[in-house]
Amino acid sequence: MATKKKIPLKVIILGNTGVGKTSLVRQYVDKQFSNQYKSTIGTDVFAKEVEIDDRGVVMQIWDTAGQERFRSLWLAFYRGADCCVLVFDLTMPDTFKELDNWRDEFLIQGSPRDPENFPFVVLGNKIDSKNCVVNSRRAQRWCQSRNNIPYFETSAKEAINVEQAFQTVAKRALAQVLEMEIVDELSDQINFRLNADERSSNGNAKCFC
């Protein structure tokens, strides 16, 4: 019996430098955390196979650098994403204020077919810290006002809500892929019928020579 082909899901992780994007991905993929901070240069791609609603998927997680000088290197990687994860640091309010910029940039550069309904997930990281200053209700209001984006407060260090957050990411990415497949299939059917009608019309045309 042939095994079903696993569905690839492309996920982009965005946020300011130092918010813990790489640490979150490594905690999710490898169940590891390191206190040694090393900035991502350009883009790293991680992969993890999971099962969502009895479907095998391969999460391709694109971890991007947050520094302005690397931004031009990975703008092209936005295209084709099935879900975008926005990360901010709960101890640094400026990183929360940048969420709108990251979201807008993705929608402009990624050019999704349905930008109003494109799936995002927001992670407020470092919930384990005693220095959290971004209010939960404030973050939740921001997410609700932007098409009810799912919001999780996470800790890469303590593995708090990491698995749950990326499970939601995978579900939203898969739903996006399946929805686009339905749209493409309907579009093909409509085009086929239009072409068939056109051929039929041309074939029935009378000649008045």
Side-chain angles (χ1 to χ4, degrees), residues 30-41:
D30 302 321
K31 307 298 181 188
Q32 294 179 353
F33 177 82
S34 174
N35 283 312
Q36 295 181 340
Y37 174 71
K38 183 180 179 182
S39 296
T40 301
I41 298 176

Side-chain angles (χ1 to χ4, degrees), residues 17-188:
T17 184
V19 297
K21 299 187 297 296
T22 302
S23 295
L24 284 165
V25 177
R26 288 195 179 279
Q27 178 61 255
Y28 174 62
V29 175
D30 302 321
K31 307 298 181 188
Q32 294 179 353
F33 177 82
S34 174
N35 283 312
Q36 295 181 340
Y37 174 71
K38 183 180 179 182
S39 296
T40 301
I41 298 176
T43 303
D44 289 333
V45 183
F46 299 82
K48 182 170 181 175
E49 295 185 8
V50 296
E51 193 167 284
I52 303 296
D53 299 330
D54 296 326
R55 293 176 182 265
V57 303
V58 180
M59 296 268 284
Q60 299 173 351
I61 305 173
W62 295 62
D63 174 27
T64 60
Q67 300 97 315
E68 183 71 31
R69 60 196 174 105
F70 292 122
R71 190 164 294 190
S72 62
L73 296 176
W74 38 255
L75 288 178
F77 298 144
Y78 288 177
R79 293 185 181 274
D82 301 307
C83 185
C84 179
V85 182
L86 304 175
V87 184
F88 71 95
D89 185 335
L90 288 162
T91 71
M92 300 175 64
D94 286 347
T95 65
F96 173 73
K97 294 176 183 177
E98 284 293 312
L99 289 185
D100 268 319
N101 291 333
W102 287 110
R103 179 175 176 271
D104 292 345
E105 182 178 273
F106 172 82
L107 291 174
I108 293 170
Q109 300 296 336
S111 301
R113 284 193 282 181
D114 187 6
E116 290 187 6
N117 296 302
F118 185 85
F120 288 88
V121 174
V122 172
L123 308 185
N125 195 35
K126 305 184 184 179
I127 189 61
D128 58 288
S129 174
K130 296 179 180 179
N131 301 317
C132 293
V133 291
V134 179
N135 185 277
S136 294
R137 283 178 291 182
R138 180 185 177 192
Q140 289 168 354
R141 283 197 301 269
W142 187 93
C143 291
Q144 289 169 357
S145 67
R146 288 154 183 82
N147 207 16
N148 288 317
I149 298 174
Y151 173 62
F152 293 87
E153 293 186 338
T154 61
S155 167
K157 182 179 181 180
E158 302 294 339
I160 298 173
N161 283 336
V162 175
E163 187 71 31
Q164 296 91 322
F166 278 97
Q167 189 81 354
T168 296
V169 171
K171 286 183 177 181
R172 289 176 68 81
L174 178 60
Q176 170 78 359
V177 169
L178 297 179
E179 183 178 338
M180 288 300 104
E181 285 181 354
I182 292 173
V183 170
D184 289 340
E185 185 177 338
L186 290 174
S187 179
D188 290 342

